């Protein structure tokens, strides 16, 4: 069972660190077009985010980029 703190954040949720992308672009192979281009985002410690978009808009590519580095 998960326990909440006073500010309703789960105890296991990261309280430090951040993820920042500045002008980030990626492609899956050198000969393919960019799937992400000039992405700028900052996710601060303790924040929870959702990634929404249409099919093919880059949602999975953004998540893959987080785990790539």
């Amino acid at each position: 069972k998960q326990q909440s703190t006073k500010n309703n954040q789960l105890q296991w949720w990261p309280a430090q660190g951040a993820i920042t992308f500045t002008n980030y672009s990626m492609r899956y192979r050198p000969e393919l077009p960019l799937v992400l281009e000039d992405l700028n985002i900052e996710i601060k410690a303790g924040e929870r985010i959702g990634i929404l978009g249409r099919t093919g808009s880059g949602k999975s590519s953004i998540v893959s980029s987080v785990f790539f580095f």
Side-chain angles (χ1 to χ4, degrees), residues 7-65:
N7 61 1
N8 204 25
Q9 288 184 345
L10 298 175
Q11 290 178 346
W12 54 266
W13 200 259
Q16 297 180 2
I19 297 172
T20 302
F21 286 103
T22 304
N23 298 323
Y24 179 76
S25 298
M26 77 164 273
R27 63 183 86 223
Y28 286 103
R29 290 195 309 249
E31 67 275 8
L32 295 177
L34 293 170
V35 293
L36 296 175
E37 186 172 1
D38 295 328
L39 176 67
N40 293 291
I41 187 171
E42 181 179 355
I43 304 167
K44 298 178 179 125
E47 287 185 326
R48 299 178 193 180
I49 65 163
I51 301 175
L52 307 172
R54 296 178 67 139
T55 302
S57 63
K59 301 176 299 291
S60 296
S61 298
I62 292 170
V63 174
S64 296
S65 296

